[in-house]
Structure formats: C-alpha cells, structure tokens
Amino acid sequence: MKGALLLLLALLAVGDARPGAKDCTELWITQDLDHFSFGADGTFEQRYLVNAEHASPTDAPIFLYVGNEAPVDLYADNAGLMWENAEEFGALLVFAEHRYYGQSLPYDGALTKPNGMWDPEKLRFLSHEQALADYATLVYRLREDKRYGGSPVIAFGGSYGGMLASWMRQKYPGAVAGAVAASAPVLAFPGMSPSFDSESYWATVTRTAERSAPGCANAVRAGFAALRAVSLAHVQDAVGACQPVTSEAERERWAMFLAVAWDTMAMGSYPYPTNYMTGGGDNPPLPAWPVRAACEAMMAEDVRAGPTGALGRLTKASGVFNNATGTVGECYELPSDDEYDGIWDYQWCTELMPQETYFAMDGVSDMFWPRSDSGASVRNRCERRFGILPRRRWIAASTGGGPRGLAAVTRVVYSNGDLDPWSSGGVRHSLGPETVAVDIPEGGHHADLFFAHPEDPPSLIAARVTTMALVRDWIVQFRREAALAVGAPTSAIATE
C-alpha cells in the first residue's frame, strides 16, 4: 500500500507538470455561421489555443487538434501525443474548439427558448460540415502568416474528433497532409456497406466486462434481468432513486442510467486513474481499469437472496462511475435528457452522429436487455424535440459508403482499442498502404492520444510509435510534393 501511495503521488506530480491549455495562447477567429450560402447569416467567434514553444522558424509542421463535443481545454490538457512529439518535429500546436461547444458559441450563447428548451432555429448551423469548414478556414488563415505558408498540417482527433480528422483529410486534402483518427467510429452510420449493427457496441462493452473478470457479464445480465422483473414499488430502493419509480418508462430510464455507467467505464479502460471520462478539470478520477473495479463489486458475496440482491450489486457496481465523487448521499437523481446528451442530441437528430443511448441491445450477445433501435421512434423523438428529421444515409453517401470509399483517402491512420466499445464502428483493417489501421488489444477510448504513462501496455506504446512514424513519412511526402509543385529540384527537399 505504501508503494502504491508513493507511485500515485509521483504520478500526480507528473500530471501537474504536464503541458496543457495553461501553456497555450488563446486566440479567436471570426467564422461565418454558414459557410455554404451567400446570405447574411452572421458570424461567430471561434476559440483556438496555440503553443509555439518548439515550432521551427519557417514552415513548421502544424499539429492541429480538431476539437469535438467539449471545451477545447479538455483536449489540450490530454493530447499528450501532440505535446510529447512537438519538440522532435519542430511543430506548432493548435487546438481548435468546435462550434457550439466550450466558448465558441454563436448568438452569444443564447441558444435556448424562453422555456429553457433548445431553439432549433439557432442550432441549424451545428453540423460536421460546418465544423470542417471552420477548421479549413482556420488552416487557411494560419498559412497567411509567412512563417507557416508552406507548413504541412496534420489533423489529430479522438472519437468524434477522430471522425472529423478523417473527414478533414477526405474533404479538404489541400488543408491537411494527413490525419490521426483515434477511436473514430466512421462506419457507425446507416447505409454503410457492410452495414453497421448498433448492438455490436453493447456486445463490446460485454466482452470488456468478461475479459476484466470471467463471470462478470452473466452477473450484470442477472442484475438487469432483476431490474426488469421486480415490481415498480421495489425499483426505487433497489437502484437508489430519490423519487418513487411509477412507470415503465421511468424503469427504462433507470436501466439506461445503469447501462451508461458500464459503457463509459469500458471507454475509460485506462491502466491508471484519470478523470478524462468524468470531464477533466477538478472532477474526480475513475480508478485504473474501472470495469475491473466494477466487476469486483458486481461479483462480491451478498447475503441477500433473490433478484433484488443482483440488482443491488448492479447499482453498487455502476456506482464506480455514477458515484465517482463518493459524495452521492442517500439516493440518485435521474439525469435529464440534456444532462445525458446535451446539444449532441441535435447532431444525432440531424446527421445521426453516433449516440449509444439509441443503439440496440438483445440481452444475449450483450449483458443488458432486449431493446430495438427503431427508426420510427427516433424520428418521432427528433420531430417532437427539434422539429426535424434525421438524414439517415447522408454520412454514408457523403463519405463513400464504407471501407471502399475510405480506401480512396490516403494518409490516414485509424487506431482502435479492443476494450473500447466505439471500436465496433471503427476501421479495424488497413485499407491500403496509406490508409492504416492500428489495433491496440489493451486499449481504451483513444488512449494513444494521451500522455505516455509508466503503466501503458506494450500495444499502446507500439501504437504511438507506428502513428508518429507515419506522420513523419506524411510530412516528407508533403514537402516533396510541394517542392515539385513549384518546380524545386528534389535534391533540395528536406527529409526531416
């Protein structure tokens, strides 16, 4: 125990010394609200962070983090792969914030109606296409500085950010010379060929649990079966609800509250404590290998007999995430829809950006319960909440319809951790010599983008080495192509 405490204190000291948003200059760029019309829809201010500490004097490579659905500080504080390679590459680091998130808010952040509900009229410029155009515009403006006029830009991103990085390379190849797309579920959309089975997401959560502790999946499955079987009168006590559970719809919401804890812990399958999955900042960390910790609680001896015992253990085990602070009192308050999905729900309802709370379960291949991903129910919800209908096949149509379309995109590396449920929608096999898949058997959600850690498993270390070797090759190729484009002799081309 003493040795573990000393290790923890050492790691905390290292964490305090790590570079992040605090080491960046905060800058702003004025962006069009709508990049694709000629009307007067107005502008907004997009925030981005820059660190030039190791940037070469001229034509430095630009490592661009394409931000996703959170304040960009979270990514600047955790994108260790960029920070730890900046000096070797002489790179300028840029972290761009996604429109409608963090402080990059159109309409001065007034995005709701008087009743507090989201205003669809003010959300209509929230799309991945608009975000990509923001990033392309930012790159263009960066290159207006003579120091970076010939700079190769490498897009980095994880999760939705990884999808954006991949799509940046596909749709704006003149803006970015390559893309690092970590844990990017670019195939998790309707209309892809082969088709995406959304249940595979929850099946991956289940495999992660069983891999963490044999027998855990069956124990969790028994807990959810108990939740479905007990009377409504018993649900409140069993799940620790603050209020009586009075309807089957509320029972379903409590089941999802518990399930989301398990998929979040599976994403957060990191070999050290970290608060990345709880939002960073001052939020509490999850333990190392949180699914393992939850499985230990799930499979602990319980003197209570019958289904409520299994359900009680499920509630306790889910508390590894749901009560990460350790400060939940006598009971849980059920989160609202906005607390679950927030403004991301609008992106689901327009372009079906992957959202696991809508994915199917079957209770057999996974450890949860039978639940369909009915297109009709999705349409009804989206029309009721936002007055819109999803474009179900637009992402597939606009990105090539699956692996065959992505194979035409060069200089992209897709990394996926086997423990991460989003790997179910990722590119798991290389599509060509310049469209490379990297598998991380012990990996959680885009763990390869994080800072190196003494507890990193060998496959994670190897993934980072592979990725940055590819990045180096892409930069050399970019410089060679740029020189040829202006007629420079190839003998004068630097090879980094």
Side-chain angles (χ1 to χ4, degrees):
M1 292 296 291
K2 183 178 179 181
L5 176 59
L6 291 174
L7 174 61
L8 177 59
L9 291 173
L11 294 176
L12 289 173
V14 170
D16 290 341
R18 286 175 175 171
K22 68 182 188 306
D23 301 292
C24 295
T25 301
E26 181 182 79
L27 298 172
W28 300 80
I29 179 175
T30 301
Q31 295 277 13
D32 289 328
L33 262 177
D34 187 359
H35 290 282
F36 307 110
S37 76
F38 299 95
D41 292 304
T43 61
F44 76 101
E45 297 300 308
Q46 180 187 23
R47 184 169 70 123
Y48 64 104
L49 308 177
V50 174
N51 181 282
E53 179 182 0
H54 299 296
S56 300
T58 58
D59 295 339
I62 297 174
F63 289 176
L64 171 67
Y65 192 96
V66 287
N68 32 312
E69 71 281 21
V72 74
D73 312 69
L74 177 66
Y75 309 117
D77 287 342
N78 288 277
L81 188 66
M82 295 170 61
W83 288 104
E84 291 174 342
N85 285 280
E87 183 174 8
E88 180 181 346
F89 281 78
L92 177 74
L93 303 184
V94 179
F95 302 90
E97 192 163 72
H98 194 296
R99 58 168 56 202
Y100 286 86
Y101 293 98
Q103 298 178 40
S104 300
L105 301 175
Y107 304 105
D108 295 322
L111 303 175
T112 57
K113 298 177 180 179
N115 63 2
M117 301 296 289
W118 294 113
D119 186 346
E121 179 63 22
K122 292 182 177 179
L123 299 184
R124 61 195 176 99
F125 302 113
L126 173 57
S127 70
H128 87 274
E129 291 100 336
Q130 297 284 3
L132 292 177
D134 289 339
Y135 298 141
T137 301
L138 175 59
V139 170
Y140 180 81
R141 293 286 296 276
L142 290 170
R143 283 177 169 159
E144 287 184 325
D145 186 324
K146 291 181 180 180
R147 292 173 297 172
Y148 308 118
S151 292
V153 178
I154 306 298
F156 289 76
S159 196
Y160 173 45
M163 296 157 70
L164 292 170
S166 168
W167 294 334
M168 271 296 286
R169 178 60 185 158
Q170 182 175 30
K171 299 183 180 186
Y172 295 93
V176 297
V180 176
S183 297
V186 290
L187 302 177
F189 294 91
M192 292 291 181
S193 179
S195 61
F196 172 65
D197 176 8
S198 67
E199 192 277 332
S200 63
Y201 178 92
W202 294 104
T204 306
V205 178
T206 303
R207 286 195 299 273
T208 298
E210 190 63 17
R211 180 172 165 180
S212 298
C216 183
N218 279 336
V220 173
R221 188 179 288 112
F224 279 108
L227 176 56
R228 311 292 292 179
V230 298
S231 67
L232 286 175
H234 287 95
V235 173
Q236 178 185 5
D237 179 61
V239 301
C242 292
Q243 305 296 329
V245 178
T246 59
S247 69
E248 291 301 324
E250 286 184 24
R251 186 203 301 265
E252 184 80 9
R253 291 182 66 205
W254 276 105
M256 186 54 65
F257 173 71
L258 299 175
V260 165
W262 285 90
D263 88 281
T264 305
M265 291 186 290
M267 283 189 273
S269 292
Y270 309 129
Y272 46 82
T274 172
N275 65 356
Y276 185 79
M277 295 308 301
T278 59
D282 295 328
N283 291 316
L286 293 180
W289 305 118
V291 175
R292 181 181 301 169
C295 284
E296 289 173 358
M298 190 71 228
M299 301 173 70
E301 292 295 328
D302 193 320
V303 296
R304 292 175 295 173
T308 55
L311 181 49
R313 288 193 297 273
L314 177 63
T315 301
K316 181 179 180 181
S318 303
V320 171
F321 173 74
N322 288 334
N323 190 20
T325 62
T327 60
V328 173
E330 297 293 324
C331 58
Y332 289 106
E333 293 283 357
L334 192 65
S336 67
D337 285 347
D338 278 346
E339 289 173 306
Y340 266 134
D341 304 328
I343 203 171
W344 181 258
D345 205 31
Y346 181 84
Q347 292 192 257
W348 164 267
C349 281
T350 49
E351 300 177 308
L352 292 184
M353 287 296 165
Q355 176 58 37
E356 68 269 33
T357 54
Y358 291 102
F359 288 172
M361 306 167 173
D362 64 15
V364 178
S365 300
D366 58 65
M367 61 189 185
F368 300 98
W369 68 95
R371 180 176 183 266
S372 69
D373 58 348
S374 165
S377 65
V378 169
R379 289 193 299 272
N380 291 339
R381 173 185 167 82
C382 293
E383 189 168 23
R384 182 176 67 253
R385 192 171 190 204
F386 298 112
I388 56 176
L389 296 176
R391 294 187 294 176
R392 290 189 61 82
R393 296 177 180 269
W394 172 240
I395 298 293
S398 65
T399 61
R404 283 177 295 181
L406 294 178
V409 186
T410 60
R411 299 182 196 160
V412 182
V413 57
Y414 296 98
S415 57
N416 284 282
D418 287 357
L419 303 177
D420 176 20
W422 287 114
S423 65
S424 61
V427 175
R428 303 307 305 273
H429 304 285
S430 294
L431 305 176
E434 293 192 295
T435 311
V436 178
V438 174
D439 184 54
I440 310 172
E442 303 99 340
H445 199 47
H446 57 69
D448 48 321
L449 292 185
F450 293 166
F451 288 92
H453 191 283
E455 298 297 321
D456 286 338
S459 64
L460 182 54
I461 297 169
R464 294 191 181 111
V465 172
T466 298
T467 294
M468 295 315 297
L470 289 168
V471 168
R472 183 173 294 281
D473 288 345
W474 298 340
I475 292 173
V476 171
Q477 290 178 48
F478 172 88
R479 296 202 192 283
R480 181 179 296 116
E481 292 164 359
L484 291 173
V486 298
T490 55
S491 60
I493 301 172
T495 58
E496 297 296 320

